[in-house]
Amino acid sequence: MVTVDESGKAGMQRRRTWLIGGILLVACALMTLVGWMGTVLSIGRLPSVLVSTAFLLFAIGIGRGGSVTARRPLGTSALIALALWHAGAPWLFDLIPDAAYDAPDSFAAAQMLTITGVVLELVLAIIAVTQIGRTGVVPAPWRWAPLWVLIAIIAGQLPQTAALLGSMVTSQDALVTMNALFALINAAGVCFLGVLAIVLGTRREPASVVVY
């Protein structure tokens, strides 16, 4: 059972958490788009750091009332693990030397690492969004918004995954197009969640609601 008190201390913690987390997500989405536009501005790993920070903030909250999972072990752990994965994955893949993709054995290992990372991220994301929806801290119907975004991202990533598994891509241009499309869908989904969090964080509804 989760008691959602918008007018009390927990409500203030929730609004602060969602407002700051939403700003971080919107900033991440904008920087991701800037990176794909090929500007001279170097953003490096900043989008990964921003989204990881936002996930940690949403999981733990500024005070217990700010946690979108009510700090329940399963959902909170999944969201924290997802944050750590987003923070560490770029550096992990950087460990693969460029020359590895020219050797058949090394390329297979790099391909397997990529697929494993996708599956791990997907499992953690499914657990996290499901628990956010079931916990009910976020008001309905928006508690299921992370699930909607996840479905859209999965749909956008299917062509990439199929290409990795079956070598469907025959040209570099097609691969670049698919990567750009996925980046756009991902950025749009993150931006949507960020804007939603900001809106919910600035909205005040004086009441106490017991959610089971």
Side-chain angles (χ1 to χ4, degrees), residues 42-131:
S42 177
I43 58 177
R45 305 301 186 192
L46 189 54
S48 297
V49 173
L50 289 175
V51 75
S52 297
T53 305
F55 286 171
L56 285 174
L57 190 62
F58 284 127
I60 300 174
I62 301 177
R64 187 180 184 87
S67 171
V68 296
T69 58
R71 292 189 181 175
R72 291 179 175 176
L74 182 59
T76 304
S77 298
L79 199 51
I80 291 175
L82 192 61
L84 295 177
W85 171 254
H86 272 280
W91 281 273
L92 177 63
F93 288 112
D94 280 348
L95 295 178
I96 304 174
D98 293 337
Y101 294 96
D102 296 328
D105 293 341
S106 298
F107 177 77
Q111 188 180 48
M112 183 57 64
L113 178 61
T114 301
I115 295 172
T116 301
V118 169
V119 172
L120 175 62
E121 184 179 7
L122 178 60
V123 171
L124 291 174
I126 290 175
I127 295 174
V129 300
T130 302
Q131 290 302 306

